[in-house]
Amino acid sequence: MSAPERIPPRSVTAADLLAHGELTVRGRIREASNAALFCTVAYEGQEASCVYKPVAGERPLWDFPDGTLAGREVAAYEVSEATGWQLVPPTVLRDGPYGEGMCQLWIDVVPGAELLALVEDEEPGPGWKAIGLAEVGEGRTALLVHADDERLRRLAVLDAVINNADRKGGHLLPAEGGRLYGIDHGVTFNVDDKLRTLLWGWAGEPLTAEAVRVLGTLKESLKDGGALAGRLAGLITPAEIDATRARVDALLASGRHPEPGGEWPAIPWPPV
């Protein structure tokens, strides 16, 4: 008699782990503006750290419907995945100890990566892009700059697509292997133009060929019946999906990174 065929164990993805694992709260991230809980999640012998943001802990905002921030975080992840850039950590919408909420893989930050800086010069040095002047005390100002980094440039394109109203420096997480992640995408996908970011260094410059190709892929996937449109349904409203399509179309038509509009503060506060 031949030996029974051995069935290999099923590979557990990060999304599987986050969506189906047992969620255990370990503590609270107190600097977060909404309830954000540091947790572990365990599933089929695997365990990871994660952040759980219950809808019940979201603060009301005047310009976003109540109880929608968690869904927007997941929608930002879905768009990031559709670009192929994987700029947002794996994120799911699931039930937890305090009800439905967003659950996102925890990213350990690699120290030493210089992405932002304050310089005394009037112009940024080589390898840097100017953001604007910042007050540094005693009536003095300095030039706030960000790195001229292709990872940040991709993130700037993603933010323009999802209409990110809060891209702070603290939302940039350099990780192992040269990866860079962006987090905190609760205030995204508004139908009104609310882009607020530190990544204005490429404003008005031509998009890279890679970005144009990726935007073309997003355009197709956002069409009615498209894969991304289907994944966004239920996370954001039909009007917000239409507005996302319009932003992709506008970027492709202009072929350039967007510039500050003037009707909305261009840089979030605090910037870091």
Side-chain angles (χ1 to χ4, degrees):
M1 179 182 295
S2 61
E5 181 182 359
R6 183 178 181 275
I7 300 174
R10 185 174 71 91
S11 176
V12 176
T13 67
D16 289 333
L17 185 60
L18 294 170
H20 305 298
E22 181 180 357
L23 196 61
T24 303
V25 176
R26 304 296 184 185
R28 182 169 182 176
I29 303 171
R30 296 197 175 276
E31 60 267 27
S33 56
N34 295 291
L37 304 174
F38 178 73
C39 302
T40 55
V41 62
Y43 182 62
E44 294 192 357
Q46 296 196 33
E47 183 173 295
S49 299
C50 61
V51 177
Y52 162 54
K53 297 181 182 180
V55 172
E58 295 178 4
R59 294 189 309 164
L61 298 172
W62 68 269
D63 51 349
F64 285 84
D66 292 351
T68 66
L69 305 191
R72 296 172 193 279
E73 295 244 29
V74 180
Y77 166 70
E78 294 291 356
V79 174
S80 169
E81 288 297 285
T83 66
W85 289 332
Q86 298 181 317
L87 295 167
V88 179
T91 312
V92 303
L93 196 64
R94 61 161 291 170
D95 195 31
Y98 299 100
E100 186 179 59
M102 180 278 282
C103 190
Q104 184 175 82
L105 190 69
W106 179 267
I107 300 298
D108 289 319
V109 174
V110 174
E114 292 189 48
L115 299 175
L116 299 169
L118 283 168
V119 297
E120 298 293 338
D121 301 326
E122 294 183 358
E123 297 292 334
W128 295 91
K129 289 285 191 177
I131 302 169
L133 293 174
E135 294 185 8
V136 293
E138 300 180 354
R140 296 170 51 246
T141 60
L143 184 65
L144 182 61
V145 297
H146 66 67
D148 188 2
D149 185 305
E150 68 173 6
R151 301 168 302 171
L152 290 180
R153 191 165 190 172
R154 290 170 176 168
L155 196 57
V157 174
L158 177 67
D159 284 342
V161 170
I162 67 176
N163 198 16
N164 192 350
D166 194 33
R167 175 60 74 205
K168 293 184 173 76
H171 299 167
L172 306 173
L173 304 184
E176 290 184 354
R179 297 293 304 273
L180 178 71
Y181 293 98
I183 61 168
D184 285 352
H185 297 106
V187 285
T188 50
F189 296 101
N190 202 297
V191 295
D192 297 324
D193 182 12
K194 291 185 178 291
L195 184 60
R196 289 197 305 172
T197 176
L198 286 179
L199 304 181
W200 287 117
W202 299 281
E205 293 187 13
L207 296 166
T208 65
E210 178 195 45
V212 172
R213 175 183 57 78
V214 166
L215 288 167
T217 299
L218 289 182
K219 180 182 176 71
E220 290 301 311
S221 196
L222 281 167
K223 289 181 177 178
D224 285 337
L228 181 55
R231 290 195 295 272
L232 294 181
L235 296 172
I236 58 177
T237 68
E240 289 165 343
I241 295 175
D242 284 342
T244 304
R245 294 182 180 115
R247 288 190 295 270
V248 170
D249 288 344
L251 287 166
L252 286 169
S254 72
R256 295 181 178 274
H257 287 269
E259 299 182 77
E263 296 182 4
W264 181 258
I267 296 176
W269 186 261
V272 177

